[in-house]
């Protein structure tokens, strides 16, 4: 315990995390914008990753060709999904894995819980995985008397704080080191005395806290970054070694894998494993990548399970324009360049996938529940330019806006916005006018009224203030 | 209808009339320019990751540092087991045994210069995954003929269905304010010994 343990502390969960997950975006964003620490943490973090990414992308003279290939491979996967899923199942099964299929979150959670019980335990160690967050596996486990321990450092921080992740790649991006020290100090039973806020000391504390658990765990739950149809292999990309621990040490391994994660051939990894680490952490290669195919005698888990998850994905597949969202490799580059995300943080989106990808994926995965998210964007196009698989996020946003139920005013403003944006000079002028027009409300970060025709829209809801700089200038400045 | 049948049916229905996707262009690089010295590049990347680099089999004792108990795969070449350490072959050692080791010494299947990546595929002189994970110090011998410039050249050298670990520097996290901290759960020290031919 640190020396000032007696001093009363502020609650450790930032207010943004306390937003109900179903708060509409504009409302949630407004709360988030009022929190300077959150915004400072976010701006620092996204700025750092952006710079690293840009430097490493510049090293490759074939970056655009890699993006073209990746986009085409993913489009091919989507078109051949039934065939590839069956091919994966056949090869994984032949290698000793058991493949399960889950129509929705509930089914996936029930299968996973049953498998954990069959492994003769009531707790699992977990590798960070978006799919298990999406299906709320931890919550389901808790409800049925099982325990899931997150082992990724950031996920551990978030779990200890009883918070929700706010970024795909850096779930604790909204905490600074002092806040993390406080979380460990208050919530980790074996936190060393006098723990400082030095990141190395904090990482060491996490190592000690988890090590015994890793070495004795009977079962683990993971996701997968890729599932190779040709071989029946799964791939997990990570940094800390907690993934390797979970994938290697327990007897039973359960992996929840969205059906869109398939790749046709093992050799396709030569494309995606160049794109993913550079786009996500801004590294030439992440420290550890694990590839496994079923089970192997004397090496790693004996009992290997794969749960192939639909949970709304086939609905996305049915939309010709929207289906490209299934190409996402969850690198989070689009979050890091998004002016809206940088100012509101991840929680405001009210979904496990925040930022630009969340704005196109959430409303498609859960139709009718996130209709406001396609409006959480300025359509500046920065997300498309960084996306390693070339998802045309602005195109899908506009498409979803046209599809979603909206008020006439929204249609008017969006129609006008589209017309204006088709002519870049007008768009810039409009943005400047909007910034000027919103001056008195600047501090709150929200505009009450837009000039016509936007006024029709802002009568019923607030609109995020355009950032002080022009999006286009902003983006030009940051892309190098 | 089983979940499997239903999901496959949903996919087919979603794709009705979608046709085929055009073949993927494959115009990206598959190798580095020939003038690049890939051994130099590999060393540069490894040092960048804070791995220690040594040259020649004679450097193995130095790479092992003060390690007393060193676990090795059962098929590790005798001539690599140099120095005063106690080399313990992995004959289904328990997790507790592995946890008591100071270091592990292995070979590798391939090394990719451009990203400083060492690849293990459970093949010759590599052993099972747990032995290169639990000990806190990994010493890996990389033969020059296993070094390639580009990822696309390395993948065909791997057994695709064997358990693989691709290692690019020691375990690290950037979860706290994006500041890189070396050493979390995987081996915190990585030493690479580059040997001929
Ligand atoms: S949409 Fe593209 S940029 Fe965004 S997370 Fe997915 S792959 Fe990355």
């Amino acid at each position: 315990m640190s020396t000032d343990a007696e001093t009363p502390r502020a609650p450790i969960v930032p207010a943004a995390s306390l937003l109900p997950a179903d708060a509409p975006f504009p409302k949630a964003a407004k709360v988030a914008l009022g929190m300077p620490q959150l915004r400072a943490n976010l701006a620092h973090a996204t700025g750092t990753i952006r710079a690293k990414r840009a430097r490493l992308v510049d090293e490759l003279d074939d970056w655009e060709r890699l993006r073209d290939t990746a986009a085409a491979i993913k489009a091919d996967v989507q078109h051949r999904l039934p065939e590839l899923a069956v091919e994966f199942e056949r090869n994984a099964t032949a290698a000793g894995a058991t493949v399960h299929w889950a129509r929705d979150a509930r089914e996936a959670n029930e299968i996973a819980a049953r498998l954990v019980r069959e492994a003769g335990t009531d707790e699992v160690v977990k590798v960070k995985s978006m799919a298990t967050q999406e299906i709320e596996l931890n919550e389901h486990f808790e409800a049925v008397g099982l325990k899931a321990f997150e082992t990724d450092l950031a996920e551990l921080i978030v779990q200890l704080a009883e918070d929700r992740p706010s970024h795909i790649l850096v779930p604790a991006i909204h905490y600074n080191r002092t806040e993390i020290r406080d979380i460990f100090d208050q919530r980790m039973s074996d936190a060393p005395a006098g723990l400082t806020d030095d990141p190395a000391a904090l990482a060491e504390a996490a190592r000690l806290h988890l090590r015994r658990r890793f070495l004795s765990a009977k079962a683990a739950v993971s996701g997968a970054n890729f599932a190779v149809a040709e071989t029946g292999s799964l791939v997990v990309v990570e940094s800390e070694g907690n993934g390797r621990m979970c994938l290697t040490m327990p007897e039973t391994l359960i992996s929840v894998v969205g059906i869109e994660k398939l790749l046709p051939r093992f050799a396709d990894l030569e494309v995606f494993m160049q794109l993913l680490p550079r786009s996500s952490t801004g590294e030439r290669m992440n420290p550890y990548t694990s590839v496994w195919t079923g089970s192997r005698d004397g090496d790693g888990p004996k009992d290997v399970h794969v749960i192939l998850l639909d949970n709304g994905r086939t609905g996305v597949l049915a939309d010709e324009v929207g289906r490209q969202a299934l190409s996402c490799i969850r690198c989070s580059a689009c979050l890091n360049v998004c002016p809206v995300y940088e100012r509101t943080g991840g929680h405001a989106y009210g979904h496990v996938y925040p930022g630009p990808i969340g704005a196109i994926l959430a409303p498609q995965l859960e139709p009718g529940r996130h209709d406001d998210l396609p409006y959480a964007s300025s359509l500046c196009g920065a997300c498309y330019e960084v996306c390693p698989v070339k998802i045309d996020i602005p195109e899908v946003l506009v498409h979803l806006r046209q599809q979603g139920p909206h008020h006439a005013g929204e249609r008017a403003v969006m129609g006008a916005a589209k017309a204006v944006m088709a002519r870049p000079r007008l768009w810039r002028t409009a943005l400047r006018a909007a910034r000027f027009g919103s001056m008195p409300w600047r501090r709150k970060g929200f505009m009450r009224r837009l000039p016509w025709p936007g006024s029709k829209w802002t009568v019923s809801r607030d609109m995020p203030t355009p950032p002080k700089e022009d999006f286009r200038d902003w983006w030009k400045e940051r892309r190098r | 209808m089983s979940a499997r049948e239903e999901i496959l049916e949903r996919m087919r229905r979603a794709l009705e009339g979608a046709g085929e996707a055009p073949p993927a262009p494959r115009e990206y690089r598959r190798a580095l320019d020939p003038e690049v010295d890939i051994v130099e590049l590999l060393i540069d990347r490894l040092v960048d990751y804070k791995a220690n680099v040594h040259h020649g089999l004679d450097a193995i004792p130095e790479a092992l540092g003060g390690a007393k108990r060193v676990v090795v795969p059962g098929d590790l070449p005798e001539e690599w087991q140099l120095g005063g350490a106690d080399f313990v072959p992995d004959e289904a050692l328990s997790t507790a045994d592995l946890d008591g080791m100071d270091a592990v010494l292995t070979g590798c299947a391939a090394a990719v210069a451009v990203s400083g990546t060492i690849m293990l595929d459970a093949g010759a002189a590599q052993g099972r995954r747990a032995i290169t994970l639990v000990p806190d110090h990994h010493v890996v011998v990389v033969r020059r003929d296993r070094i390639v410039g580009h990822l696309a050249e390395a993948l065909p050298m791997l057994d695709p269905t064997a358990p693989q670990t691709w290692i690019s520097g020691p375990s690290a996290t950037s979860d706290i304010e994006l500041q890189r901290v070396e050493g979390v759960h995987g081996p915190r020290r990585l030493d690479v010994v580059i040997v001929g031919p």
Side-chain angles (χ1 to χ4, degrees):
Chain A
M1 275 286 159
S2 70
T3 46
D4 58 347
E6 308 292 296
T7 350
R9 289 171 195 274
I12 52 184
V13 180
S17 313
L18 300 173
L19 291 166
D22 55 357
F25 180 82
K27 200 166 162 203
K30 190 152 67 172
V31 176
L33 284 167
M35 299 192 314
Q37 184 63 58
L38 171 87
R39 293 183 61 184
N41 294 356
L42 265 177
H44 170 70
T46 55
T48 308
I49 316 183
R50 270 201 310 268
K52 281 170 72 186
R53 177 202 164 273
R55 191 165 51 81
L56 287 191
V57 163
D58 276 354
E59 282 184 3
L60 295 191
D61 54 10
D62 60 345
W63 186 255
E64 291 307 318
R65 277 169 277 163
L66 284 166
R67 289 177 78 209
D68 286 335
T69 306
I73 292 173
K74 283 291 193 176
D76 178 47
V77 166
Q78 283 145 30
H79 282 79
R80 295 197 290 132
L81 207 50
E83 165 197 336
L84 292 172
V86 169
E87 184 184 351
F88 173 85
E89 178 190 42
R90 186 175 59 243
N91 291 322
T93 307
T98 308
V99 177
H100 312 258
W101 301 69
R103 278 168 279 225
D104 52 26
R106 189 186 50 79
E107 198 165 25
N109 285 327
E110 283 170 5
I111 296 168
R114 175 171 55 77
L115 293 171
V116 172
R117 291 234 157 76
E118 283 172 11
T121 180
D122 58 5
E123 50 180 66
V124 298
V125 284
K126 265 193 76 194
V127 203
K128 174 179 154 44
S129 129
M130 295 309 297
T132 57
Q133 259 173 48
E134 176 191 321
I135 62 173
E136 301 187 321
L137 178 130
N138 293 7
E139 290 78 356
H140 176 85
F141 274 23
E142 202 181 314
V144 299
L146 301 175
K147 282 194 276 307
F149 295 102
E150 295 291 352
T151 63
D152 178 80
L153 178 53
E155 294 282 352
L156 174 71
I157 295 165
V158 169
Q159 192 174 42
L160 286 171
E162 293 172 41
D163 191 6
R164 281 181 279 124
S166 65
H167 187 280
I168 293 179
L169 181 81
V170 202
I173 199 166
H174 53 299
Y175 290 111
N176 65 22
R177 62 181 72 189
T178 311
E179 292 164 330
I180 294 169
R181 200 276 315 262
D182 292 348
I183 292 168
F184 279 13
D185 208 26
Q186 293 172 46
R187 301 278 174 91
M188 206 161 78
S189 51
D190 51 358
L195 184 60
T196 69
D197 66 2
D198 173 15
L202 295 169
E204 173 70 14
R207 176 184 169 97
L208 294 171
H209 174 68
L210 287 171
R211 188 150 179 101
R212 196 151 29 91
R213 188 154 281 154
F214 281 135
L215 299 187
S216 61
K218 283 211 169 83
V221 172
S222 83
N225 294 88
F226 306 103
V228 182
E230 174 190 50
T231 54
S233 314
L234 294 181
V235 181
V236 162
V237 171
E238 54 132 356
S239 297
E240 297 170 13
N242 61 311
R244 293 177 69 190
M245 284 284 181
C246 293
L247 303 170
T248 310
M249 305 309 292
E251 299 262 285
T252 298
L253 173 60
I254 303 158
S255 305
V256 181
V257 183
I259 48 177
E260 82 284 11
K261 297 282 173 190
L262 285 160
L263 291 180
R265 300 183 308 128
F266 181 71
D268 293 327
L269 292 175
E270 75 192 20
V271 177
F272 290 93
M273 288 306 295
Q274 291 191 73
L275 291 168
L276 177 56
R278 283 185 162 83
S279 299
S280 63
T281 45
E283 293 172 298
R284 296 188 184 96
M285 191 65 92
N286 48 289
Y288 297 133
T289 298
S290 296
V291 184
W292 74 101
T293 310
S295 62
R296 172 155 297 215
D297 269 352
D299 190 344
K302 289 188 183 59
D303 207 10
V304 174
H305 297 268
V306 184
I307 302 175
L308 291 177
L309 177 71
D310 180 346
N311 204 33
R313 286 162 175 74
T314 47
V316 185
L317 187 66
D319 186 316
E320 233 175 280
V321 179
R323 75 164 66 108
Q324 54 184 310
L326 296 177
S327 299
C328 175
I329 55 174
R330 312 277 188 264
C331 73
S332 67
C334 58
L335 278 60
N336 301 330
V337 299
C338 179
V340 177
Y341 176 86
E342 181 173 288
R343 283 157 179 79
T344 63
H347 291 123
Y349 291 79
H351 192 270
V352 344
Y353 303 116
I357 180 59
I360 61 168
L361 200 50
Q364 295 198 86
L365 285 175
E366 298 181 320
R369 282 194 50 196
H370 307 277
D371 288 335
D372 51 348
L373 284 187
Y375 295 89
S377 163
S378 64
L379 300 178
C380 74
C383 46
Y384 172 56
E385 287 188 44
V386 294
C387 178
V389 290
K390 271 188 128 164
I391 300 172
D392 192 340
I393 295 174
E395 180 193 22
V396 183
L397 285 168
V398 170
H399 170 74
L400 294 175
R401 286 176 184 185
Q402 283 159 351
Q403 301 225 308
H406 27 209
H407 307 296
E410 284 179 347
R411 240 179 270 132
V413 72
M414 289 311 149
K418 254 173 91 179
V420 171
M421 278 179 298
R423 284 165 290 170
R425 280 217 357 246
L426 248 180
W427 169 229
R428 278 199 291 275
T429 312
L431 267 184
R432 257 180 239 124
R435 280 199 296 273
F436 180 75
S438 62
M439 279 314 198
W441 299 277
R442 193 71 261 171
R443 256 176 7 152
K444 287 196 171 138
F446 267 79
M447 298 190 285
R448 299 292 165 185
R449 293 287 283 271
L450 278 177
W452 188 92
S455 52
K456 285 201 178 143
W457 193 54
T458 45
V459 169
S460 58
R461 57 165 100 202
D462 298 342
M463 176 165 175
T465 312
K468 291 202 185 75
E469 312 155 64
D470 181 299
F471 282 123
R472 281 150 196 282
D473 298 342
W474 180 90
W475 175 235
K476 248 189 263 155
E477 224 175 77
R478 274 159 182 76
R479 54 186 311 183
R480 282 289 129 192
Chain B
M1 213 188 313
S2 71
R4 177 180 190 277
E5 286 317 307
E6 189 171 333
I7 293 169
L8 287 171
E9 181 53 33
R10 287 179 188 172
M11 290 178 185
R12 287 188 201 105
R13 237 182 303 134
L15 289 167
E16 256 164 39
E20 276 180 25
R26 300 254 174 196
E27 275 146 34
Y28 52 86
R29 255 178 197 283
R30 319 187 87 88
L32 302 185
D33 292 337
E35 66 271 16
V36 176
D37 181 337
I38 55 174
V39 178
E40 278 303 304
L41 184 61
L42 176 67
I43 293 169
D44 180 74
R45 297 309 196 222
L46 290 168
V47 170
D48 193 35
Y49 287 139
K50 306 221 167 60
N52 309 306
V53 181
H54 313 262
H55 297 274
L57 287 177
D58 292 346
I60 286 179
E62 167 196 315
L64 284 168
K68 292 194 180 63
R69 289 172 60 74
V70 178
V71 60
V72 297
D75 62 348
L76 193 87
E78 282 282 335
E79 65 270 25
W80 293 5
Q81 301 179 25
L82 300 171
D86 179 11
F87 292 96
V88 183
D90 172 36
E91 280 148 5
L93 291 174
S94 71
T95 301
D97 290 339
L98 286 179
D99 201 22
M101 296 290 163
D102 300 314
V104 54
L105 174 63
T106 70
C108 70
V112 184
V114 76
S115 58
T117 305
I118 312 272
M119 298 171 136
L120 308 178
D121 71 354
Q126 296 162 56
R128 62 185 168 124
R129 284 172 291 174
I131 67 167
T132 51
L133 174 60
V134 178
D136 204 17
H137 180 192
H138 185 185
V139 180
V140 57
V141 176
V142 179
R143 288 189 355 221
R144 277 171 188 269
D145 63 1
R146 303 270 98 192
I147 302 175
V148 295
H150 197 273
L151 179 63
E153 299 170 281
L155 292 185
M157 297 163 73
L158 302 176
D159 174 354
T161 61
Q164 296 163 34
T165 308
W166 306 1
I167 299 168
S168 307
S171 149
T173 182
S174 303
D175 278 348
I176 301 167
E177 294 182 14
L178 277 304
Q179 182 177 322
R180 187 175 162 108
V181 175
E182 265 83 22
V184 197
H185 307 295
R188 286 184 283 189
R189 182 168 162 195
L190 177 67
D191 282 73
V192 178
V193 183
I194 297 175
V195 303

